[in-house]
Amino acid sequence: MASKARPEVDDKDKNKNKDKDKDKDKDKDKNRGEHEQDRNKQVVRQVFDDLFSRGRYDLVDKIYSPNCVVHSPGLKGTSLNEAVEEGKSFRAAAPDLKMTADRIEARGDMVTVEWTAKGKNTGRGDGIPATGKSIHIRGRSTFKLDDGKITEVTNNYDQNELFKQLGVNPRK
């Protein structure tokens, strides 16, 4: 009888070990997912800290996939090059532009940022003359990343509010 009880114990031990292995795998996947989300947040933070606020457009190739698609109010196209040119134009219009990532959330390969943009329109950019007026705009951007690079961006902000603060008519 003792020999019959032993295989049952062995089967229970094997099942316990399988369960432990599954738990370890889940923990590894969770840690890998959290690490990837943290990395994605760091990449997106660079967009706000280096590109938007410091004008470091030399980092575009490091941060974005070359085929990145950008959706933005008023943006004439959706290519990365068009979005970069638009960003440079904003910086020319407001050289002191500071964009702050107020809240960053990551879920899987998506990173969402609630942001604030502040600056003074002292330069000419995108056909808008210098008004000397300050802007303060809030918005939300969602970034999709793949292998540490941004592949798609959707920006949402009230473009009419921006024009209102500048005291200019919206572009046609």
Side-chain angles (χ1 to χ4, degrees):
M1 289 239 187
S3 62
K4 286 185 180 179
R6 188 67 187 145
E8 289 175 13
V9 170
D10 287 344
D11 288 343
K12 286 180 185 177
D13 287 343
K14 286 179 185 176
N15 287 337
K16 283 182 186 178
N17 287 338
K18 284 181 185 177
D19 289 342
K20 285 180 186 178
D21 290 343
K22 285 180 186 177
D23 289 343
K24 285 179 188 178
D25 288 343
K26 284 181 187 177
D27 288 343
K28 285 179 186 176
D29 288 344
K30 183 180 176 188
N31 289 339
R32 191 176 308 122
E34 287 173 1
H35 174 73
E36 186 174 314
Q37 288 178 12
D38 288 342
R39 180 183 69 168
N40 289 345
K41 283 182 178 180
Q42 288 173 347
V43 169
V44 169
R45 182 166 293 285
Q46 272 193 291
V47 171
F48 288 85
D49 294 348
D50 292 325
L51 264 65
F52 294 157
S53 293
R54 293 187 186 103
R56 300 256 342 260
Y57 291 100
D58 57 305
L59 298 175
V60 167
D61 293 338
K62 177 183 175 194
I63 296 171
Y64 291 89
S65 167
N67 298 324
C68 180
V69 176
V70 181
H71 311 278
S72 217
L75 190 61
K76 294 168 184 77
T78 59
S79 78
L80 178 59
N81 290 336
E82 291 163 324
V84 168
E85 290 307 311
E86 184 89 1
K88 287 178 180 179
S89 181
F90 284 147
R91 287 210 57 78
D96 67 338
L97 182 68
K98 176 78 172 154
M99 291 192 69
T100 305
D102 301 318
R103 184 171 176 230
I104 300 177
E105 274 187 20
R107 176 169 269 151
D109 61 355
M110 303 295 287
V111 177
T112 302
V113 180
E114 293 176 11
W115 52 263
T116 305
K118 295 179 183 179
K120 191 168 189 175
N121 179 219
T122 58
R124 183 173 193 83
D126 207 20
I128 299 172
T131 64
K133 295 182 178 182
S134 295
I135 61 159
H136 182 190
I137 300 291
R138 294 186 186 278
R140 182 183 180 108
S141 297
T142 304
F143 299 82
K144 182 174 182 173
L145 290 94
D146 184 26
D147 199 26
K149 288 200 173 191
I150 299 169
T151 60
E152 186 172 7
V153 184
T154 302
N155 296 309
N156 291 300
Y157 64 93
D158 188 345
Q159 187 179 36
N160 290 328
E161 177 62 24
L162 173 65
F163 291 129
K164 182 179 172 184
Q165 289 180 23
L166 292 174
V168 298
N169 290 324
R171 295 173 275 184
K172 300 286 179 201

